Amino acid sequence: MGGISIWQLLIVALIVILLFGTKKLRSLGGDLGGAVKGFKNAMTPEDENKSLDDKEKEQTAATSQQAAEKQPETESKDKQA
């Protein structure tokens, strides 16, 4: 009594999607996520920021290395076809 049911939430969500469209909502979500990430980075002490930056660099290097390893496999598959 007095609460919002799941059906009412679904109807409101459907109306919002129809009004704004999925592209606008997707960009809004990305902007909101970036703002939250920036806020978290600003709130952490400098020592933790350095360690977080190091971890991000390691992850980026690992990802690029994995992509470089997968690229020759894709090229060889294209040549076989």
Side-chain angles (χ1 to χ4, degrees):
M1 187 171 184
I4 298 176
S5 72
I6 188 71
W7 294 109
Q8 291 169 335
L9 289 175
L10 288 174
I11 291 170
V12 170
L14 181 65
I15 292 171
V16 168
I17 290 172
L18 289 174
L19 286 176
F20 295 109
T22 56
K23 286 185 179 180
K24 185 86 166 181
L25 292 175
R26 191 177 310 134
S27 67
L28 179 67
D31 292 342
L32 182 64
V36 169
K37 186 176 181 180
F39 179 75
K40 284 183 180 180
N41 286 340
M43 294 303 293
T44 56
E46 288 298 318
D47 294 337
E48 289 181 21
N49 280 341
K50 290 179 183 176
S51 65
L52 290 175
D53 289 341
D54 292 341
K55 288 179 184 179
E56 288 178 3
K57 288 178 183 177
E58 289 174 2
Q59 289 176 350
T60 304
T63 304
S64 62
Q65 184 180 10
Q66 289 173 353
E69 290 174 355
K70 288 182 180 181
Q71 189 176 13
E73 293 175 5
T74 306
E75 291 175 359
S76 64
K77 288 180 183 178
D78 291 341
K79 289 179 183 177
Q80 291 175 357

